Amino acid sequence: MTGMSVRPYWELRFDADGDVDTRQRDRLLEQAAQRELTDLVVFSHSWHNTRAMATRLHDRFFAPFPELLGAAGPARLGYVGVVWPSMRFADESLAGFPREPAPGARPGLDAETRAALEALFPGRRQIVARLAELLDERSERLAALDEFGVLVRGLVGVRGEPGPPADPSAPEEDGVPAMFGEDVAEVCERFAAALAEARDKTDTEDHALPLPDGGLDGPGALDGPGRLHGPGRLDGLDGLDGPGRLHGLWDGAHELLRQSTYYVLKRRAGTVGREGLGPVLGALTALRSAPRLHLVGHSSGARLVSYALTGLPERASVASLTLLQGAFSHDAFAETPPHATSRPGALRAAAHRVGGPVVACHSRHDTGLGLLYPVASRMSGDDASALPGDTRWGAIGYDGVRGMDGSRRLDLAEALDGPFPAEGWVSVDVSEVVRHGVPPVGAHSDICHEELARLVLRAARIGSGP
């Protein structure tokens, strides 16, 4: 492609079922063989509403590579950007897509988000329209909130009683999260509390820092009735009757809708990885002069490239795997997760498909994974384990890999300047650079940094020292 920061660059587009654009695939296989590449970096985005938006992120993330490769010796490196149908809410920070929030903005459905929802849920335009009306009205009637919950269930196609998986590391095919069937007021209260806490955390840790590229997009303050005033509770919500009792819950209702898209996209990421990207990677490994493959994924894209390992042909493998703010369980690769010893992690069979290191980058400034992800995971079922300090519901992009023997934990300086493990599990605290963002997701998408590009090259053992 022309206009990219790196060359040679190829794009691979997949549909929701994992079917690849065959012309793009064939071009990649033919040209990779002709160029006799030594290494190929394959990067998957997370949530984006358009192909152009995804390509722009790939361009920004890859931009530091040419200069870093100046002393790479004989390495002949190529780049692949994976594009798959996902979506974002307009209030989610995206590195490289600056947007200033409207003063006093409240969670609602702007035109961009409505269009993205209609594309993600084809044939449900009327449901999306009614959900938008309810979020704009922010009614004080409990019946309106109940209607919202019913509509969200209809949007994601949940029928009957949800059947939650037994643990957060279980395969996504195992059930429907209980949050789509529980009392909607209780679910919205929990999300509203987590949102308020996320804003408080971002105010103190992130907003004091300069925002890159003129600022990032996000919602306004969670002011007014329903603001969090205590651990895990919303002020004024002990009862549900009387003026102002429900107003703050609509922030949580907006988050419930967002979580419905994550529910759909996490399944889709697994499908695209396993059924789509995995076989393409297998074809690359079968080339006469096969390049070493280095997989990189952000958020749901980290899930996608991880599931691609399960779609590889027998005996095929990749050279390294780097997960940037991975939006899935930190126990997913474990043979025996600490909280579910009778059930292995969903990706435990994928571990042996990586010949080199598996690097999990995590940041404490990622409020999307640090605060909202655990709440959503707890509401997948088994609330009895939702105790203070319980680590069961953590995401790999917030606290790194867990449950893996011999795993290493490094800070960023150690990972960039010290000896880097040639194999095994490496959790790298990248909070020093992944730190800019606004609620609700905080620094979740702040991934376009030279330091992270250097980590990918260190994991790949390309021009990066020992």
Side-chain angles (χ1 to χ4, degrees):
M1 293 182 63
T2 60
M4 292 295 293
S5 58
V6 292
R7 291 186 181 182
Y9 172 84
W10 296 272
E11 205 159 80
L12 286 175
R13 289 196 297 273
F14 297 88
D15 66 16
D17 296 319
D19 292 329
V20 67
D21 183 314
T22 55
R23 290 178 298 176
Q24 292 183 327
R25 178 200 61 197
D26 295 344
R27 185 182 306 118
L28 168 62
L29 293 173
E30 178 183 355
Q31 295 182 1
Q34 291 173 348
R35 292 173 178 266
E36 296 187 339
L37 299 174
T38 60
D39 297 86
L40 192 63
V41 180
V42 181
F43 177 56
S44 174
H45 65 80
S46 181
W47 46 71
H48 291 280
N49 289 345
T50 65
R51 172 196 169 192
M53 191 179 288
T55 301
R56 185 175 166 191
L57 175 64
H58 296 160
D59 180 56
R60 284 179 55 88
F61 182 78
F62 283 139
F65 280 70
E67 183 174 350
L68 294 173
L69 287 167
R76 295 185 301 278
L77 189 61
Y79 307 84
V80 173
V82 174
V83 178
W84 59 289
S86 58
M87 76 153 286
R88 66 179 288 264
F89 277 58
D91 61 356
E92 293 170 338
S93 304
L94 277 180
F97 301 86
R99 177 182 299 174
E100 293 292 344
R106 299 303 301 259
L109 291 186
D110 61 288
E112 179 185 349
T113 301
R114 283 186 60 171
L117 284 168
E118 290 169 1
L120 184 65
F121 300 106
R124 293 182 170 87
R125 176 173 294 185
Q126 289 184 327
I127 293 180
V128 172
R130 181 54 180 157
L131 289 168
E133 290 178 358
L134 290 169
L135 286 173
D136 286 339
E137 293 169 0
R138 300 176 74 87
S139 172
E140 293 294 336
R141 297 182 301 108
L142 185 58
L145 200 63
D146 288 337
E147 180 187 359
F148 189 91
V150 171
L151 290 173
V152 169
R153 289 190 65 182
L155 194 67
V156 298
V158 175
R159 296 180 177 86
E161 292 300 319
D167 69 90
S169 62
E172 62 265 28
E173 293 85 356
D174 277 12
V176 176
M179 64 177 146
F180 296 129
E182 291 185 349
D183 178 76
V184 66
E186 181 180 350
V187 170
C188 291
E189 178 179 354
R190 295 184 193 178
F191 278 131
L195 284 168
E197 186 177 354
R199 184 185 185 279
D200 289 342
K201 177 180 173 66
T202 307
D203 275 344
T204 57
E205 294 188 358
D206 297 333
H207 280 185
L209 303 168
L211 292 177
D213 299 321
L216 293 170
D217 59 304
L222 293 175
D223 54 352
R227 179 64 185 268
L228 184 69
H229 285 281
R233 292 294 300 174
L234 289 171
D235 180 53
L237 293 177
D238 292 325
L240 292 176
D241 55 334
R245 297 294 186 178
L246 294 184
H247 190 73
L249 290 185
W250 287 104
D251 296 338
H254 182 271
E255 185 58 31
L256 174 61
L257 178 58
R258 188 199 312 272
Q259 292 297 328
S260 75
T261 69
Y262 294 168
Y263 164 68
V264 171
L265 292 179
K266 77 171 187 176
R267 287 174 170 257
R268 180 174 295 178
T271 298
V272 173
R274 181 176 55 250
E275 307 297 332
L277 181 58
V280 175
L281 297 176
L284 285 164
T285 65
L287 294 176
R288 181 178 59 82
S289 298
R292 298 165 68 238
L293 301 178
H294 310 284
L295 305 187
V296 185
H298 167 237
S299 186
S300 298
R303 172 188 285 271
L304 189 154
V305 296
S306 296
Y307 272 89
L309 300 175
T310 69
L312 288 172
E314 190 176 356
R315 292 188 294 276
S317 64
V318 303
S320 67
L321 174 65
T322 303
L323 309 174
L324 306 172
Q325 304 310 117
F328 58 99
S329 171
H330 52 198
D331 294 327
F333 291 98
E335 189 66 36
T336 54
H339 297 284
T341 56
S342 63
R343 183 174 193 166
L347 288 165
R348 82 282 185 187
H352 70 283
R353 296 305 190 101
V354 184
V358 177
V359 181
C361 296
H362 58 95
S363 171
R364 65 178 179 273
H365 303 294
D366 188 335
T367 50
L369 295 182
L371 295 172
L372 295 174
Y373 178 91
V375 172
S377 295
R378 288 173 186 144
M379 287 191 288
S380 290
D382 200 305
D383 288 304
S385 296
L387 302 174
D390 186 359
T391 61
R392 174 175 183 175
W393 308 102
I396 199 170
Y398 188 72
D399 59 5
V401 175
R402 292 177 71 255
M404 304 304 297
D405 293 338
S407 63
R408 298 277 304 278
R409 303 191 75 86
L410 304 175
D411 62 32
L412 186 59
E414 291 172 323
L416 294 178
D417 301 323
F420 200 87
E423 59 184 14
W425 305 87
V426 188
S427 297
V428 181
D429 185 347
V430 296
S431 302
E432 181 180 339
V433 294
V434 179
R435 60 191 304 175
H436 300 296
V438 294
V441 296
H444 182 65
S445 291
D446 185 22
I447 61 167
C448 294
H449 296 283
E450 177 183 317
E451 292 87 348
L452 300 187
R454 287 177 60 194
L455 279 178
V456 172
L457 292 175
R458 297 219 76 191
R461 304 186 75 77
I462 302 174
S464 54

